[in-house]
Amino acid sequence: MAQPLVVKKDDDCDEEEYYSPFLGIEKGAVLQEARVFHDPQLDARRCCQVITKLLYLLNQGDTFTKVEATEVFFATTKLFQSKDAGLRRMVYLMIKELSPSADEVIIVTSSLMKDMNSKTDMYRANAIRVLCRIIDSTLLTQIERYLKQAIVDKNPVVASAALVSGIYLLQTSPEIVKRWSNEVQEAVQSRAALVQFHALALLHQIRQNDRLAVSKLVTSLTRGSVRSPLAQCLLIRYTSQVIRESGMNTQGGDRPFFDFLESCLRNKAEMVILEAARAITDLNGVTSRELTPAITVLQLFLSSSKPVLRFAAVRTLNKVASTHPLAVTNCNIDMESLISDQNRSIATLAITTLLKTGNESSVDRLMKQMTNFMSDIADEFKIVVVEAIRSLCLKFPLKYRSLMNFLSNILREEGGFDYKKAIVDSIIILIRDIPDAKESGLFHLCEFIEDCEFTYLSTQILHFLGNEGPKTSDPSKYIRYIYNRVILENATVRASAVSTLAKFGALVDALKPRIFVLLRRCLFDGDDEVRDRATLYIKLLDGEATVGETDKDVTEFLFGSLDVPLVNLETSLWNYEPSEVPFDISSVPKETKSQPLAEKKATGKKSAGPAAVNGPVPTVDASYEKLLSSIPEFASFGKPFKSSAPVELTEAETEYSVNVVKHIYDGHVVLQYNCTNTIPEQLLEEVVVFVDASEAEEFSEVASKPLRSLPYDSPGQTFVAFEKPEGVLATGKFSNILKFIVKEVDSSTGEADDDGVEDEYQLEDFEIISADYMLKVGVSNFRNAWESMDLESERVDEYGLGVRESLGEAVSAVISILGMQPCEGTDVVQNNSRSHTCLLSGVFIGNVKVLVRLSFGISGPKEVAMKLAVRSDDPEVSDRIHEIVANG
Amino acid sequence: MGSCPSVKNILVLDSEGKRVAVKYYSDEWPSVSSKLAFEKSVFVKTQKTSARTEAEVVMFDGYIIVYKFIQDLHFFVTGGDEENELILASVLQGFSDAVGLLLRNNVDKRTALENLDLIFLCLDEVVDGGIVLETDANLIAEKVSGHGLEGAGSFTEQTISQALATAREHFARSLLK
């Protein structure tokens, strides 16, 4: 039995000021001490002490070598002879901590199995937990019977031990644990709180891939048989999952299970109330009527004496404020008192919430409170505040003066790089979006670079200054700041300043002669790059000297942006092998993950709930290109235009897992099937996918490349190629059957049988849709891009979209039909707004640039209408886009 | 979301931020050095706060940490930033109260080290592989000390001499008080 004050007996020298029983402990000595485990007459107390010392060493981060661990393990197994309960507990702990290898486990299994059937509950519970941590699936089948019994054991500790072990085992031996469904279901009805919780968690994990079963589980349990707070929290999570997955197809009316969530707000346990309130605020397209009860309980939490409770409430409300600022305004008074909260996390969250919910008139007052607040919080909190101020300023452009002043004040104060970067980014965004703020913003930035210790920020500001400065009313006043950099800073900043000077020279004719003087001085700089740049720019700006260079070329060279993403350029350069053929920048894929500007704007108002997130944006993977070009059959097809994201053709956790990637070429489509064999006892050979394209008339199969062999757990690819008419949007449905020869594998030797059997496996269907012919390519400035397109190519038409759940749903539906990149964050629809404009950009097959402007309106009975305007490089493509929408 | 509430680690540090006992249930900190770095940043960020009467909470690097200080011991429970902080708080409460019961309210570094075996067992009984096992301090303490759970049965397992030793110790302690 474990007894308090065990160690004290040994050293009863109390006179020392401060002493630790482990002072001067040394691994070698302790390992020597572990010899007492071999004594024929075991001294339980002494053994306990030694184990504690060993555990202490491990806990402090000491490690045992393999030999040492094995030695300790074998010695520890001897201790099963002792009947001392306390010692036995420590033995269990020690075995778990040592996590013995498979061949060692055998030594203890019999002892542990004996304990598992002991009359003592404590032995049973702990032996189960230890055993399940260390055994493999073959041994598991031997003890499965006992585990099933233990799940329904009348002692809650034993039942919980078995259930928790089940959750753990589900990861390694799912097929065995799934057989325990009935027992687990019985345990869900247990009266012991924790057993109920563990049983529910296990039951849900067993069924998680079966939506219908989860939905049934939730339906039966929400009627009120679950009492433990932890289990109720779980149930709330599962319920919101079911609500989320049931989607938006419930036309109007009440949301299923909402009553249950609302009733949980009246629960006795605070953790359940919080869980329910969060679930409600996270609901997709939650209405203000649904929000009200949740906000009310959270408001009560705000004035709690417990910091954790206040934190939980303010954190949740902060999130709600991003999407439904009006719903949170009721709590503003409580929030304001939290600004002075001892806990700075709470105070920061309160401030940022207030910034989100505040109206125009309260901005000045808030700013005053903030100034005191900023000095005593950490950088990471300051960044949060700066981001909140940025979005506030974008919301109330008229207030830019006081907000900009605030930003410039904090820019002058002490702070680390991330904090300063957040401020600079904010100012730049404000300058870009609020024309009035430009002059004062640029001035603040100039002041900042006069005394800036961060090279990165200096160059960023100089670059920005070069683009914006020349367009201001008095460009000459910036020159002084820029030239100071050339005199005072390091080479990187100097080079950047030279480029900025050149930009002023190119755009402002009046300044040109003076810029020349300054640039000539830079020719004597000590750094190569600075001198090179200066030489280049002098040649460039001195237009008369060079033939063929026009002003337009100069500005294009200075201001033209790199139209390929740097990441893609980098990978292409890595793949480029030096040869006769020069590197071609047009071969770099242009597909990007997302628009940087849209991203920055969106961070301030992160969309709530996981459902609002778009599907993963496909990127052309350089590895695909390499793979495809290595196959001679496909070499004649040219370069792939687009590769789709993988589409799963099998359910999760089936025997064979297959997904397909659609590679679109000008006149061909190559289907790449990625197959994985998940059965260790099988080897598949001659794997091929038989594709039935009878529902895709325009496609005809031209080639197929089978996979020679597919061993267990090593993915392989098989390809099928189709021809399609060029210049036609060929679409259609494909059904697939996986055909192969299966051979048995001897698990002990790993050898496959010589004889195989032919077999086939039905895969799910998939479609080639018009979006497959569109690349998601963003533009940095939609308006400029739109206006630079030929007006002749514009095609406008109106469409009725019928009754829709919400505007947001209609917008995302049209985006996914077109498969284009939303620009400037316009894919997010403000809640409850009646109209919305969405800007899309993309590149259509044949490398035709397409821009789309969508205007949506929604009427009272949720009837959605849409105006679609398209501009593109090719008027025919504009018509094509309308066809896609009309058929979609 | 949609998954079981989970605890990423439980830490007991001393007033200088050194380990007394720690237990990691998540493999987000694969090496000893990454664990120590995490402990250091947790300690530094919470050092100046007072979490004596009520448990406090802090959020950083995508983790939520609820914590409580008792004498020269700092107790921490960490979860992911989507976690329900009140669940973490109940784990912290259960664990620190159980330690209090087991150490007979002498919760300080010295007593904790002297009875480190009890602290380890306590960690083992609160959370298993990240899943909350028990949050009731009395039940946790009972399971660790072995009382209650087996009832009178435990005495039959003891030899007479061990029982006498226990009795003697109890007696000695009562005299010292």
Side-chain angles (χ1 to χ4, degrees):
Chain A
M1 188 192 292
Q3 290 147 353
L5 304 169
V6 174
V7 191
K8 202 181 165 188
K9 281 247 155 181
D10 271 2
D11 337 44
D12 37 7
C13 37
D14 270 4
E15 60 277 277
E16 271 173 82
E17 271 279 287
Y18 184 79
Y19 103 114
S20 151
F22 302 104
L23 204 66
I25 189 168
E26 208 262 317
K27 184 171 83 172
V30 181
L31 288 173
Q32 288 286 321
E33 278 188 72
R35 292 201 176 149
V36 297
F37 297 174
H38 295 285
D39 277 358
Q41 286 293 315
L42 282 172
D43 177 349
R45 175 170 306 180
R46 181 140 172 67
C47 291
C48 263
Q49 283 167 19
V50 176
I51 291 187
T52 311
K53 283 186 189 170
L54 288 167
L55 287 172
Y56 173 81
L57 285 172
L58 288 172
N59 207 266
Q60 292 294 318
D62 233 323
T63 46
F64 293 167
T65 63
K66 184 84 190 87
V67 179
E68 286 166 350
T70 312
E71 217 163 85
V72 171
F73 174 74
F74 280 115
T76 310
T77 56
K78 294 265 170 88
L79 300 178
F80 274 102
Q81 287 167 5
S82 165
K83 288 216 169 4
D84 185 276
L87 178 58
R88 186 67 57 89
R89 290 298 313 273
M90 297 307 280
V91 169
Y92 294 141
L93 214 53
M94 194 69 214
I95 294 174
K96 270 200 274 192
E97 221 38 64
L98 288 170
S99 51
S101 61
D103 48 332
E104 293 169 349
V105 167
I106 308 200
I107 316 284
V108 280
T109 37
S110 62
S111 309
L112 285 170
M113 275 159 78
K114 204 172 127 222
D115 285 355
M116 239 174 89
N117 294 298
S118 147
K119 282 201 194 84
T120 319
D121 292 330
M122 189 276 284
Y123 281 7
R124 280 219 303 286
N126 280 292
I128 288 172
R129 285 174 56 201
V130 178
L131 202 49
C132 292
R133 284 274 154 185
I134 59 176
I135 54 170
D136 57 10
S137 53
T138 39
L139 265 174
L140 180 59
T141 41
Q142 288 180 37
I143 60 162
E144 191 189 351
R145 189 162 57 91
Y146 305 114
L147 288 176
K148 277 167 132 180
Q149 270 171 23
I151 288 174
V152 290
D153 197 287
K154 63 179 188 315
N155 184 303
V157 181
V158 177
S160 277
L163 287 163
V164 171
S165 302
I167 297 174
Y168 175 76
L169 289 169
L170 195 63
Q171 292 155 15
T172 50
S173 325
E175 63 295 336
I176 297 179
V177 181
K178 279 179 183 170
R179 293 201 291 251
W180 306 348
S181 260
N182 287 337
E183 285 78 10
V184 180
Q185 199 139 25
E186 198 179 321
V188 173
Q189 307 301 330
S190 163
R191 282 202 302 199
L194 268 298
V195 175
Q196 202 171 46
F197 164 61
H198 295 133
L200 184 56
L202 180 55
L203 194 60
H204 176 260
Q205 284 195 10
I206 289 177
R207 296 182 179 174
Q208 61 185 353
N209 287 317
D210 183 350
R211 276 193 199 183
L212 192 68
V214 174
S215 170
K216 270 188 192 158
L217 177 70
V218 168
T219 314
S220 67
L221 290 177
T222 44
R223 299 212 184 98
S225 55
V226 176
R227 282 171 315 275
S228 135
L230 275 170
Q232 275 168 327
C233 286
L234 266 190
L235 187 56
I236 291 171
R237 287 184 193 189
Y238 301 155
T239 307
S240 44
Q241 196 182 346
V242 170
I243 295 178
R244 200 158 52 236
E245 279 167 4
S246 70
M248 302 269 220
N249 45 22
T250 44
Q251 293 280 339
D254 278 342
R255 220 183 271 271
F257 301 117
F258 184 77
D259 288 345
F260 167 70
L261 292 183
E262 201 182 358
S263 72
C264 288
L265 293 175
R266 295 185 291 274
N267 198 290
K268 278 203 297 275
E270 282 156 348
M271 66 168 82
V272 179
I273 301 177
L274 175 68
E275 193 72 45
R278 277 210 182 134
I280 291 177
T281 56
D282 275 348
L283 285 177
N284 237 334
V286 63
T287 64
S288 32
R289 191 174 57 87
E290 288 169 326
L291 270 178
T292 314
I295 303 281
T296 313
V297 295
L298 290 173
Q299 189 174 2
L300 288 177
F301 282 1
L302 285 179
S303 45
S304 158
S305 64
K306 293 183 195 157
V308 184
L309 218 51
R310 294 199 298 276
F311 174 83
V314 74
R315 184 158 85 107
T316 315
L317 290 171
N318 185 308
K319 222 170 146 195
V320 179
S322 311
T323 48
H324 297 77
L326 283 180
V328 187
T329 40
N330 280 343
C331 310
N332 276 1
I333 296 176
D334 305 82
M335 287 280 181
E336 281 189 31
S337 59
L338 288 183
I339 295 179
S340 53
D341 200 290
Q342 287 285 313
N343 185 319
R344 301 325 276 165
S345 298
I346 296 176
T348 312
L349 285 166
I351 280 264
T352 49
T353 314
L354 284 169
L355 288 176
K356 285 176 194 167
T357 59
N359 49 26
E360 206 150 351
S361 57
S362 64
V363 168
D364 290 321
R365 190 165 49 89
L366 266 176
M367 283 300 122
K368 211 175 262 172
Q369 274 176 299
M370 303 270 297
T371 319
N372 303 327
F373 174 75
M374 288 300 264
S375 56
D376 56 44
I377 56 172
D379 266 13
E380 58 205 70
F381 292 137
K382 290 182 184 168
I383 293 173
V384 179
V385 174
V386 168
E387 275 162 7
I389 289 182
R390 173 168 74 211
S391 35
L392 183 71
C393 195
L394 291 175
K395 203 162 83 182
F396 303 122
L398 286 177
K399 284 287 165 196
Y400 79 88
R401 219 176 289 273
S402 62
L403 294 166
M404 191 67 104
N405 272 335
F406 182 81
L407 288 177
S408 73
N409 280 336
I410 55 175
L411 192 55
R412 276 198 285 273
E413 277 160 26
E414 286 294 297
F417 172 73
D418 290 321
Y419 173 44
K420 288 288 161 84
K421 184 171 184 311
I423 303 174
V424 169
D425 283 348
S426 301
I427 294 182
I428 288 179
I429 287 176
L430 296 186
I431 293 175
R432 197 148 49 191
D433 287 28
I434 307 169
D436 291 340
K438 193 179 200 170
E439 303 254 334
S440 64
L442 285 178
F443 179 70
H444 290 313
L445 291 178
C446 283
E447 287 278 296
F448 175 61
I449 52 171
E450 285 281 47
D451 184 24
C452 170
E453 53 186 311
F454 305 108
T455 302
Y456 177 92
L457 291 180
S458 294
T459 50
Q460 188 193 4
I461 292 173
L462 282 169
H463 173 81
F464 183 71
L465 204 56
N467 291 343
E468 298 294 333
K471 296 180 215 154
T472 53
S473 56
D474 181 15
S476 64
K477 70 177 176 194
Y478 300 109
I479 303 293
R480 177 171 66 90
Y481 295 104
I482 301 166
Y483 192 67
N484 278 346
R485 305 280 70 70
V486 179
I487 303 168
L488 299 168
E489 303 279 353
N490 62 38
T492 315
V493 179
R494 288 204 303 275
S496 168
V498 167
S499 299
T500 309
L501 283 176
K503 286 180 183 172
F504 275 81
L507 285 190
V508 190
D509 280 337
L511 287 175
K512 213 169 185 175
R514 287 146 77 187
I515 298 282
F516 264 114
V517 176
L518 296 177
L519 285 179
R520 285 213 186 87
R521 282 191 202 165
C522 301
L523 291 174
F524 303 103
D525 196 279
D527 184 78
D528 290 353
E529 172 75 19
V530 180
R531 280 197 312 275
D532 286 356
R533 284 200 192 192
T535 316
L536 174 69
Y537 292 133
I538 288 173
K539 280 264 182 294
L540 205 64
L541 291 176
D542 198 4
E544 286 111 299
T546 34
V547 191
E549 293 263 15
T550 61
D551 276 356
K552 199 173 173 235
D553 287 336
V554 173
T555 35
E556 179 65 22
F557 179 76
L558 277 171
F559 294 97
S561 60
L562 193 62
D563 61 348
V564 288
L566 287 176
V567 196
N568 298 3
L569 181 62
E570 191 187 350
T571 41
S572 297
L573 282 170
W574 274 113
N575 291 338
Y576 174 72
E577 280 152 20
S579 63
E580 292 291 294
V581 193
F583 181 75
D584 181 10
I585 200 163
S586 64
S587 71
V588 179
K590 290 180 180 167
E591 196 129 308
T592 49
K593 277 224 148 74
S594 123
Q595 254 289 136
L597 176 65
E599 222 172 42
K600 263 183 194 148
K601 270 184 153 182
T603 41
K605 29 190 167 177
K606 261 188 209 139
S607 49
V613 180
N614 296 331
V617 182
T619 45
V620 169
D621 199 328
S623 62
Y624 283 152
E625 219 177 303
K626 227 174 181 176
L627 183 71
L628 290 168
S629 58
S630 68
I631 302 169
E633 285 94 326
F634 306 149
S636 62
F637 298 171
K639 271 195 174 302
F641 170 72
K642 176 179 181 176
S643 301
S644 74
V647 180
E648 293 297 333
L649 299 181
T650 49
E651 301 255 339
E653 291 182 34
T654 47
E655 298 97 310
Y656 314 111
S657 121
V658 180
N659 63 46
V660 66
V661 177
K662 300 174 267 187
H663 302 289
I664 310 283
Y665 292 74
D666 283 341
H668 296 86
V669 173
V670 172
L671 303 175
Q672 173 187 341
Y673 293 89
N674 300 314
C675 314
T676 313
N677 170 10
T678 62
I679 308 177
E681 299 83 21
Q682 283 189 2
L683 171 71
L684 307 187
E685 287 189 348
E686 296 304 319
V687 183
V688 68
V689 178
F690 176 77
V691 186
D692 176 6
S694 55
E695 287 181 70
E697 290 155 0
E698 286 156 314
F699 295 87
S700 57
E701 189 172 329
V702 288
S704 161
K705 194 175 180 313
L707 177 64
R708 289 279 293 287
S709 112
L710 182 64
Y712 164 64
D713 207 22
S714 74
Q717 298 93 23
T718 161
F719 299 87
V720 182
F722 286 87
E723 198 170 29
K724 70 170 182 65
E726 225 166 289
V728 175
L729 266 194
T731 56
K733 192 162 151 191
F734 295 80
S735 0
N736 313 280
I737 298 170
L738 190 68
K739 296 200 171 183
F740 47 82
I741 297 170
V742 55
K743 292 186 173 174
E744 293 285 315
V745 174
D746 188 324
S747 56
S748 55
T749 62
E751 300 274 314
D753 275 3
D754 286 339
D755 306 320
V757 189
E758 267 190 50
D759 201 355
E760 58 178 54
Y761 189 79
Q762 183 71 46
L763 303 175
E764 284 179 27
D765 301 346
F766 71 92
E767 283 180 272
I768 289 190
I769 51 174
S770 19
D772 286 326
Y773 296 98
M774 182 70 80
L775 274 181
K776 289 190 173 182
V777 179
V779 289
S780 53
N781 188 328
F782 189 86
R783 200 201 289 174
N784 282 1
W786 177 262
E787 276 160 13
S788 66
M789 288 274 215
D790 190 5
L791 194 63
E792 291 295 302
S793 71
E794 182 168 312
R795 298 286 183 275
V796 185
D797 207 351
E798 288 182 11
Y799 300 87
L801 301 181
V803 175
R804 294 286 175 151
E805 174 66 21
S806 73
L807 209 48
E809 189 242 357
V811 171
S812 54
V814 175
I815 294 177
S816 70
I817 288 174
L818 287 173
M820 296 175 74
Q821 173 75 42
C823 297
E824 295 168 21
T826 52
D827 52 332
V828 183
V829 181
Q830 285 290 324
N831 265 50
N832 302 326
S833 61
R834 316 292 305 166
S835 65
H836 182 73
T837 301
C838 179
L839 308 171
L840 302 176
S841 130
V843 170
F844 196 66
I845 188 159
N847 276 328
V848 183
K849 200 167 162 193
V850 184
L851 296 175
V852 168
R853 188 189 283 255
L854 294 164
S855 314
F856 291 88
I858 190 163
S859 71
K862 306 221 159 181
E863 193 87 32
V864 177
M866 172 181 80
K867 186 171 143 195
L868 171 71
V870 191
R871 289 188 186 182
S872 74
D873 289 344
D874 179 359
E876 242 180 79
V877 171
S878 301
D879 292 328
R880 205 52 84 52
I881 301 294
H882 277 284
E883 272 170 43
I884 295 175
V885 174
N887 298 332
Chain B
M1 277 296 274
S3 55
C4 200
S6 79
V7 175
K8 292 188 189 285
N9 63 45
I10 299 182
L11 315 173
V12 183
L13 307 180
D14 70 7
S15 52
E16 286 158 15
K18 290 209 199 73
R19 277 183 182 184
V20 175
V22 298
K23 180 82 189 162
Y24 285 79
Y25 307 99
S26 148
D27 43 19
E28 280 157 70
W29 299 272
S31 64
V32 176
S33 55
S34 57
K35 289 184 174 108
L36 288 173
F38 176 77
E39 285 157 35
K40 182 155 192 265
S41 60
V42 169
F43 180 77
V44 170
K45 281 180 203 298
T46 57
Q47 197 177 10
K48 289 191 191 120
T49 57
S50 131
R52 302 266 163 201
T53 44
E54 290 285 356
E56 278 284 349
V57 57
V58 67
M59 182 163 75
F60 69 90
D61 294 347
Y63 299 111
I64 290 215
I65 297 139
V66 291
Y67 59 98
K68 192 169 185 179
F69 303 158
I70 306 175
Q71 308 267 29
D72 54 357
L73 286 181
H74 295 196
F75 294 81
F76 302 90
V77 174
T78 309
D81 63 354
E82 289 285 305
E83 200 45 84
N84 182 330
E85 44 272 59
L86 299 181
I87 294 180
L88 298 177
S90 75
V91 172
L92 176 70
Q93 187 77 37
F95 175 62
S96 59
D97 285 357
V99 170
L101 287 168
L102 289 163
L103 301 183
R104 291 158 215 270
N105 282 327
N106 297 317
V107 183
D108 54 40
K109 181 182 177 185
R110 180 175 165 166
T111 323
L113 284 176
E114 281 168 357
N115 297 287
L116 201 60
D117 49 344
L118 299 184
I119 311 283
F120 284 144
L121 287 173
C122 214
L123 282 171
D124 185 55
E125 291 293 356
V126 175
V127 174
D128 186 328
I131 299 167
V132 183
L133 257 190
E134 182 57 78
T135 54
D136 182 322
N138 286 312
L139 289 177
I140 297 169
E142 253 174 39
K143 285 205 270 178
V144 170
S145 62
H147 300 302
L149 191 62
E150 302 138 62
S154 68
F155 281 105
T156 57
E157 305 242 350
Q158 284 186 2
T159 61
I160 300 289
S161 63
Q162 276 171 327
L164 274 176
T166 322
R168 212 178 296 134
E169 210 165 89
H170 278 280
F171 181 65
R173 202 175 295 124
S174 62
L175 277 182
L176 282 170
K177 271 184 187 166

